[in-house]
Amino acid sequence: DMYSSMASIQQAVTTEKVLLHHLESYLEKETYRLNDLRRFYDKVQAFHEATPDPVADPIVAYTLMKRLHLEWLNVVHSLEATENIQALKEGYEKEEKRLPIFEDVEGAAKGLMRLQDVYSLNVNGMARGKLQRAANTAMSLLYKPPASSTMSADDCFHIGKVAYEMDDYYHSIPWLEEAVSMFRGSYGNWFTEDEGTLEDALDYLAFSYYKAGNISQALDLSRECLLYDPDNKRVARNVAKYEKILDENPIGSGLEEARVHRPNVTHLRTRDLYEGLCRTLGKQPKMYENPKMFCMYDTNGSPHLTLQPLRREMVSLDPYVVLYHDFVSDLESETIKEIAAPWLLRSVVASGEKQSEAEYRISKGAWLKDTVHSIIRTIDIRIAAATGLNVQIPYTEHLQVVNYGIGGHYEPHFDHATSKDSPLFRTSTGNRLATFMIYLSSVDMGGSTAFIYANFSIPVIKNAALFWWNLRRNGAGNEDTLHAGCPVLIGNKWVANKWIHEYGQEFRRPCTLIPED
Ligand SMILES: O=C(O)CCC(=O)C(=O)O
Ligand SMILES: [Fe+2]
């Protein structure tokens, strides 16, 4: 698919440019053709105006005969229109395999709904290309794009329809409301590219309200729909049905109070905490509160770092999380992204013994062996120096480069396996002891890494790296490492993960039997 990674979406820009070129050449050819038809029309029209009695003039009579016998035939049977449209279609067909499919548009629409929820965005603002946060009653502008990118009525209709098809009336109602009000505003105009109409949007919106328990709203909208489409028997039946329900349940009978709730998503228990941490940075520890929370130049006793120590920031003591600023250079980041881009595949998650795609992880990833480029090797060595751990294969996994898509995120999870059957144990080097995650890009908004139970999140800082222990010294998973990649609001987020396993670290991180150590 395309929507799960910004790198793939970038290719769509090129594809559309090609289509645009085909359309431009079609328009030119058709304009030329229509201009020529107009010239013929004007010529004949002028003849009829200027020559009341053609029969008197043999030359005029001849041209009339010839025109009627031949010229009209050529005009009416001209193949040019067909040839022009054929060229446009052929150009389109050549690009067809590069076009997004239904799942892409659906995934992108779901991504927008996710952003709407997590960042409390206002649908009306989104439709106008502005990201506004609805906080109580006041609206605060989060982001105004440099170029205007408003949505059409049909764009909103399509999102509403995606939600509707999932029985998600919580989202279908505001999007269809937006669509209806925009379609009303442009009623009578015809847009070739549109899929839906005002009648369609009213129909879907009415049914969404009905499903949500708001019968009088469903009735009003269905009546409006009938106004535009009086022969629609189905809508007429619905109107009768809604009238009957309202007759039997007068106002105040509690019928109107039914409310739609946001549909359940995975990890509901931690969802509110997670989303809160995505909107704010949570509780950022301050050094004056705890003197152990300091920043330092760190060589970790390694000769590799003597001349250029790492800039280490303590982020959290328990779970132990540190941030290394400028861990890689811009050149290193750009090179890693470039190497990974052609190999990106939809990210999977462990489900039982298998791995599968999941809505709660929207990204693409590529595994890079240290043999593909010397930079990967250099970074391995730097990770070993910073952590003091053994980063040789098979004690670590290959570098996993991840690129997020539209509303791309990774909902709360553990990096370590929590079940004996996990595919993680296939390497036979134990569990994932530690995570070393490098931010290869910055983002304009969103996308921070949230530690749910520890109650803090780290914004995406280009070239910085985050390190934490997933396991306690006794080998048990540390529940407080539950973490997530927040949905990317604006930007193209890339990270690289290096997972370090238990085996091979026996003398580097000795175990203890103290459970909380
Ligand atoms: O992208 C992030 O901030 C977190 C990614 C993550 O947790 C993972 O890939 O396991
Ligand atoms: Fe993770």
Side-chain angles (χ1 to χ4, degrees), residues 325-364:
H325 291 269
D326 295 312
F327 184 78
V328 290
S329 66
D330 276 336
L331 178 68
E332 286 168 335
S333 281
E334 298 313 314
T335 310
I336 295 171
K337 290 189 278 190
E338 231 165 75
I339 304 169
W343 304 102
L344 291 172
L345 286 176
R346 177 67 194 267
S347 299
V348 290
V349 294
S351 77
E353 287 178 51
K354 289 206 254 334
Q355 305 203 309
S356 61
E357 293 178 8
E359 186 97 350
Y360 67 87
R361 188 180 190 190
I362 303 289
S363 60
K364 284 188 181 177

Side-chain angles (χ1 to χ4, degrees), residues 1 92 166 185 203 242 301 350 365:
D1 54 47
Y92 171 81
M166 299 187 294
D203 197 10
Y242 301 151

Side-chain angles (χ1 to χ4, degrees), residues 176 214 352:
L176 291 169
N214 192 339

Side-chain angles (χ1 to χ4, degrees), residues 410 413-415 435 437 468 483 497 499:
Y410 194 173
H413 65 279
F414 294 113
D415 283 356
T435 298
M437 188 183 83
W468 69 90
H483 65 282
N497 288 308
W499 283 298

Side-chain angles (χ1 to χ4, degrees), residues 26-145:
Y26 173 75
L27 284 173
E28 263 168 27
K29 283 189 258 173
E30 282 289 276
T31 307
Y32 183 84
R33 183 178 72 82
L34 287 175
N35 283 341
D36 189 53
L37 272 187
R38 169 64 63 182
R39 178 202 49 79
F40 176 75
Y41 173 87
D42 290 344
K43 176 178 90 174
V44 182
Q45 171 73 15
F47 164 82
H48 283 278
E49 269 169 16
T51 330
D53 183 14
V55 192
D57 185 332
I59 294 169
V60 170
Y62 163 75
T63 57
L64 175 65
M65 292 301 104
K66 189 228 170 200
R67 216 167 36 239
L68 285 171
H69 178 65
L70 273 175
E71 294 186 6
W72 277 97
L73 183 89
N74 289 338
V75 166
V76 173
H77 289 276
S78 156
L79 291 178
E80 248 190 303
T82 331
E83 280 162 12
N84 290 348
I85 191 74
Q86 202 54 39
L88 179 65
K89 284 182 177 160
E90 273 163 24
Y92 171 81
E93 275 153 21
K94 266 196 223 125
E95 297 306 308
E96 228 164 3
K97 55 185 173 302
R98 276 182 282 274
L99 300 180
I101 57 172
F102 173 77
E103 279 69 25
D104 287 305
V105 187
E106 187 187 43
K110 287 182 188 172
L112 286 183
M113 291 186 247
R114 180 178 312 120
L115 293 173
Q116 175 196 338
D117 295 341
V118 174
Y119 296 105
S120 313
L121 301 180
N122 161 268
V123 169
N124 184 269
M126 287 175 90
R128 272 151 200 76
K130 290 197 199 103
L131 302 183
Q132 297 170 318
R133 176 172 295 168
N136 302 321
T137 49
M139 205 73 83
S140 62
L141 186 64
L142 287 179
Y143 182 82
K144 194 168 174 304

Side-chain angles (χ1 to χ4, degrees), residues 218-240:
L219 178 60
D220 287 350
L221 292 161
S222 299
R223 280 185 179 145
E224 186 183 346
C225 188
L226 266 193
L227 224 61
Y228 297 114
D229 188 7
D231 299 329
N232 194 323
K233 299 251 170 12
R234 192 176 46 74
V235 176
R237 274 197 305 276
N238 284 344
V239 166

Side-chain angles (χ1 to χ4, degrees), residues 177-235:
E177 279 285 8
E178 203 55 47
V180 161
S181 100
M182 284 166 128
F183 272 132
R184 277 189 193 125
S186 66
Y187 193 71
N189 293 338
W190 165 259
F191 299 118
T192 315
E193 71 270 30
D194 279 3
E195 188 89 10
T197 60
L198 175 58
E199 291 89 318
D200 296 329
L202 284 167
D203 197 10
Y204 276 92
L205 182 57
F207 205 71
S208 298
Y209 271 121
Y210 166 66
K211 284 296 221 177
N214 192 339
I215 313 294
S216 55
Q217 196 66 274
L219 178 60
D220 287 350
L221 292 161
S222 299
R223 280 185 179 145
E224 186 183 346
C225 188
L226 266 193
L227 224 61
Y228 297 114
D229 188 7
D231 299 329
N232 194 323
K233 299 251 170 12
R234 192 176 46 74
V235 176

